[in-house]
């Protein structure tokens, strides 16, 4: 009897363990997965899960840019996919402490507020529209077609904090491309922005608004390190600077361009929570010399509205 009791107790523990394992597996399958754009400048062409609200927020510090000697602030992005191919987005810089070139004191202010949308134009039939920056296995003899999206961002509120490096813009159109090559995941953006600035006109005896076109290209490559949760990102990006006419040292430039390189690490604590940090370095005389950043991406675990059955 004691042997039967021990066998029955052991069998019960095994069934309980199997049940817990099954529940854990179901929970893991049902858990939403974040799709962070930070910490890189490049945004992914893929979208977060439909119906979930995603937050991307963190700290950004910069040294030696044409407009500021130093700036330290926070940035915030909110995203929500309302359809497998359509996402709404809000970007802002709630606060930044800036010290302008040649000044001894610093001042605090807020940045621009941008709103817009992103639409997936092409999606490979075998790839989901909602995916993170994690490479997926693919045959070595075939190069899978990338996901391609188009996005628009418009300024709805003009901030007063100085812009660094790429500068701010009133309207922006982005072509986004994302895909996988073996164990590498890549994201690339091609941007067309409308930059504006107010200057005094001696001819009109009044202030006039200047409008200039800005072009940019970015490429970011991700690769897992010891496991898929820890990712290394390398990025190179180029922005024209039509509103910049001098370096941080005051030397005039005929045509300004910012070329920067970025290195970052990100770690997924949970499928819906990703931590990140890194730095970037400018290679041209009008680039911000150094930028550092740290933050996180969090996808709310509950849908904003019921899903389809």
């Amino acid at each position: 009897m004691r042997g039967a009791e021990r066998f029955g107790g052991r069998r019960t523990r095994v069934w309980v363990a199997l049940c817990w394992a099954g529940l854990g597996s179901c929970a893991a399958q049902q858990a939403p997965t974040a799709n962070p754009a930070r910490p890189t400048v490049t945004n992914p062409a893929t979208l977060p899960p439909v119906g979930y609200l995603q937050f991307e927020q963190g700290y950004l510090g910069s040294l030696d840019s044409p407009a500021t000697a130093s700036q330290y602030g926070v940035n915030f992005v909110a995203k929500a996919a309302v359809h497998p191919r359509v996402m709404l987005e809000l970007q802002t810089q709630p606060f930044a402490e800036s010290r302008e070139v040649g000044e001894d004191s610093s001042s605090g202010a807020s940045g621009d507020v941008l709103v817009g949308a992103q639409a997936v134009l092409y999606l490979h039939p075998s790839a989901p529209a909602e995916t993170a920056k994690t490479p997926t296995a693919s045959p070595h003899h075939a190069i899978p077609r990338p996901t391609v999206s188009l996005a628009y961002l418009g300024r709805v509120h003009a901030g007063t904090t100085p812009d660094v490096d790429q500068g701010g813009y009133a309207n922006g159109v982005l072509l986004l491309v994302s895909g996988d090559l073996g164990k590498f995941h890549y994201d690339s953006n091609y941007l067309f922005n409308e930059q504006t600035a107010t200057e005094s006109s001696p001819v009109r005896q009044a202030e006039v608004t200047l409008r200039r076109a800005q072009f940019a290209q970015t490429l970011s490559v991700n690769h897992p390190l010891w496991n898929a949760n820890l990712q290394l990102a390398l990025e190179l990006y180029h922005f024209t600077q039509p509103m910049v006419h001098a370096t941080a040292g005051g030397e005039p430039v005929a045509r300004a361009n910012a070329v920067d390189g970025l290195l970052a690490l990100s770690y997924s604590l949970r499928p819906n929570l990703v931590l990140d940090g890194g730095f970037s370095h400018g290679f041209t005389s009008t680039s911000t010399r150094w930028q550092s950043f740290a933050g996180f991406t969090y996808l709310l675990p509950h849908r904003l509205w019921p899903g389809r059955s």
Side-chain angles (χ1 to χ4, degrees):
M1 290 293 295
R2 291 180 179 177
E5 290 176 358
R6 284 198 298 269
F7 176 77
R10 188 182 301 114
R11 185 170 60 182
T12 300
R13 288 194 295 271
V14 170
W15 276 110
V16 170
L18 289 175
C19 289
W20 275 110
L23 289 174
S25 176
C26 292
Q29 292 176 1
Q30 295 174 359
T33 301
N35 184 30
R38 55 168 305 116
T40 58
V41 174
T42 308
N43 291 294
T46 52
L47 310 181
V50 175
Y52 293 88
L53 187 61
Q54 178 171 292
F55 296 109
E56 302 172 11
Q57 47 202 326
Y59 147 87
L60 176 64
S62 64
L63 295 173
D64 298 329
S65 77
T68 61
S70 65
Q71 185 179 97
Y72 305 96
V74 293
N75 44 59
F76 173 82
V77 178
K79 299 177 178 179
V82 297
H83 182 272
R85 290 177 179 263
V86 180
M87 178 188 74
L88 304 180
E89 181 175 0
L90 179 145
Q91 296 184 11
T92 185
Q93 187 179 35
F95 178 79
E97 187 77 14
S98 307
R99 181 169 63 87
E100 298 187 13
V101 176
E103 298 291 334
D104 295 327
S105 60
S106 59
S107 60
S110 60
D112 296 341
V113 178
L114 304 170
V115 297
Q118 179 173 323
V120 178
L121 301 180
Y122 176 80
L123 182 67
H124 193 271
S126 62
E130 308 156 359
T131 182
K133 290 184 178 180
T134 303
T136 56
S138 59
H140 294 288
H141 58 80
I143 299 178
R145 295 179 182 178
T147 299
V148 180
S149 295
L150 188 68
Y152 167 79
L153 285 170
R155 183 170 60 199
V156 296
H157 174 74
T160 55
T161 189
D163 296 309
V164 300
D165 215 27
Q166 305 100 333
Y169 56 89
N171 297 282
V173 177
L174 299 81
L175 178 67
L176 308 96
V177 180
S178 296
D180 298 311
L181 290 174
K183 292 186 178 181
F184 292 90
H185 176 84
Y186 67 88
D187 299 294
S188 183
N189 292 172
Y190 305 88
L191 300 89
F192 173 79
N193 299 329
E194 179 197 11
Q195 291 193 320
T196 60
T198 302
E199 294 186 359
S200 298
S201 173
V203 177
R204 299 183 181 181
Q205 298 295 319
E207 291 188 341
V208 296
T209 300
L210 301 179
R211 290 181 169 84
R212 298 290 184 270
Q214 180 187 51
F215 304 93
Q217 307 82 34
T218 73
L219 175 62
S220 172
V221 179
N222 280 63
H223 188 275
L225 293 180
W226 293 278
N227 57 61
N229 291 333
L230 182 62
Q231 298 275 327
L232 171 67
L234 297 175
E235 182 181 41
L236 183 67
Y237 55 91
H238 161 255
F239 281 77
T240 62
Q241 297 171 299
M243 297 297 185
V244 176
H245 306 292
T247 66
E251 300 177 1
V253 291
R255 183 175 297 178
N257 289 271
V259 178
D260 294 27
L262 178 147
L263 184 147
L265 291 173
S266 60
Y267 183 76
S268 298
L269 281 179
R270 295 195 297 270
N272 64 327
L273 177 60
V274 182
L275 308 181
D276 64 71
F279 65 91
S280 66
H281 176 64
F283 300 118
T284 66
S285 60
T286 55
S287 297
T288 300
R289 192 59 49 207
W290 290 102
Q291 296 185 72
S292 60
F293 44 85
F296 64 93
T297 299
Y298 180 64
L299 187 79
L300 293 181
H302 303 291
R303 287 180 61 101
L304 299 178
W305 57 85
R308 295 180 179 179
S309 58

